Amino acid sequence: MSDPSQEPLLQQLLRLHAIDQQIAALERELKQSQEDLFSAMDGVAGLKEELERLDGELLRARTDARTAEHTADAKRDQLERLRARVNQVKTEKQYGAATLEFDLVRQEIRKLEDKELEKLQAVEDLEVRRKAVQEELDAADAEVEPLGEKVGKRRVELEQELAIKRDRRHNRAIRLDRNVLGLYDRIRSGRAEVALAPLTGEGVCGYCFTSVTIQQEMQIKGMSTIVCCEGCGVILFPEDMSPTR
Ligand SMILES: [Zn+2]
């Protein structure tokens, strides 16, 4: 498989592999920055929903509080009328009946006033929660726009870098033996990015640690032919070989 007019196949593959890993890293960064932006936008949308929900609750709570206030007001008016009547009674019997009713109404007022307070407290609690959510939303909102700009800018840079790397990759790939390139691409598509691994000093695959035969070891070190690991399938290269040079 080796061509004396070119650098060894393994060396070519290693260079291609290095470019592919750079491409993968750039693609990861691109994806990650986009995801960060989306999650920030989701955060803002979630807070807006929460705020709308609280507004709805507040509207209902304020109506409840007003109703409780009106009910208590009506009872208080009734008490005033009774007070006037108590002052006008002529007989002891009338007095007894009027004060009894007066006391009953006063008790009812106490209950209604408790309820009134409870409803007012609910409004106040909701207002506190609403304020906190509003503040959180303002802060998140203030972050999204600059983040969007930053991600957009970085995206342009990353896409330019990617275009350069992909071009470089293409130029290398077309010079490679087609069968070897096919093998390499198949291995890569089957696993996460890793298509090549060094044969360690102990004579095992640097990726999955499966050992190779003496004959395979000699082939790998001599770079006379492409040898794949029988454990994980990656192409093995001599440990002292550098992907960058
Ligand atoms: Zn392996």
Side-chain angles (χ1 to χ4, degrees):
M1 269 198 221
S2 73
D3 179 346
S5 71
Q6 287 184 328
E7 60 182 347
L9 258 175
L10 265 178
Q11 187 68 57
Q12 295 181 55
L13 275 178
L14 268 177
R15 287 171 191 269
L16 188 73
H17 196 230
I19 296 172
D20 279 339
Q21 282 183 314
Q22 288 161 4
I23 289 173
L26 290 169
E27 284 171 341
R28 263 201 308 275
E29 192 189 334
L30 193 62
K31 190 163 165 259
Q32 187 58 54
S33 66
Q34 204 64 41
E35 277 171 9
D36 289 347
L37 180 61
F38 285 152
S39 100
M41 287 161 83
D42 278 352
V44 167
L47 286 169
K48 276 186 181 153
E49 263 175 44
E50 172 75 356
L51 208 60
E52 270 173 37
R53 199 184 57 74
L54 282 173
D55 280 342
E57 264 189 63
L58 251 175
L59 207 66
R60 282 190 295 278
R62 286 195 182 115
T63 307
D64 283 356
R66 262 199 306 278
T67 307
E69 193 191 351
H70 290 158
T71 313
D73 279 348
K75 249 332 163 198
R76 281 188 283 258
D77 288 347
Q78 191 187 348
L79 192 73
E80 285 316 305
R81 287 194 299 274
L82 278 172
R83 197 194 301 279
R85 211 198 299 162
V86 171
N87 291 334
Q88 287 166 4
V89 292
K90 304 278 188 295
T91 68
E92 197 65 23
K93 197 181 162 199
Q94 278 177 332
Y95 182 79
T99 48
L100 188 68
E101 198 184 350
F102 187 84
D103 284 343
L104 278 175
V105 171
R106 209 159 51 181
Q107 277 175 30
E108 281 176 57
I109 287 177
R110 238 175 264 137
K111 278 185 203 155
L112 287 172
E113 282 178 343
D114 282 348
K115 201 168 177 188
E116 205 184 342
L117 274 178
E118 193 186 294
K119 297 289 178 191
L120 283 172
Q121 187 63 51
V123 170
E124 210 182 304
D125 290 349
L126 280 168
E127 279 169 347
V128 169
R129 268 170 65 197
R130 193 200 183 281
K131 188 165 175 274
V133 171
Q134 180 70 63
E135 279 168 6
E136 219 183 312
L137 174 61
D138 290 345
D141 235 348
E143 272 175 27
V144 162
E145 209 187 298
L147 182 65
E149 274 174 33
K150 199 178 119 200
V151 166
K153 242 195 214 164
R154 186 71 187 126
R155 189 198 178 92
V156 172
E157 288 168 7
L158 286 170
E159 278 171 351
Q160 280 170 354
E161 278 181 61
L162 269 171
I164 292 166
K165 300 278 183 201
R166 283 180 182 138
D167 197 43
R168 199 171 290 165
R169 200 248 183 223
H170 175 75
N171 289 338
R172 287 215 160 266
I174 50 172
R175 298 209 307 263
L176 257 166
D177 179 287
R178 281 182 63 180
N179 290 328
V180 173
L181 181 64
L183 173 69
Y184 169 87
D185 284 338
R186 267 200 308 286
I187 297 170
R188 265 192 100 241
S189 65
R191 71 180 61 248
E193 295 171 29
V194 179
L196 281 108
L199 179 72
T200 73
E202 287 78 40
V204 300
C205 163
Y207 187 72
C208 77
F209 308 110
T210 298
S211 41
V212 301
T213 64
I214 296 290
Q215 195 202 354
Q216 286 171 328
E217 191 172 341
M218 275 159 56
Q219 285 172 332
I220 293 162
K221 286 182 174 163
M223 293 195 274
S224 55
T225 177
I226 300 291
V227 177
C228 291
C229 166
E230 281 170 12
C232 67
V234 302
I235 297 169
L236 294 164
F237 63 87
E239 195 179 30
D240 55 7
M241 206 169 146
S242 159
T244 51
R245 189 191 56 78

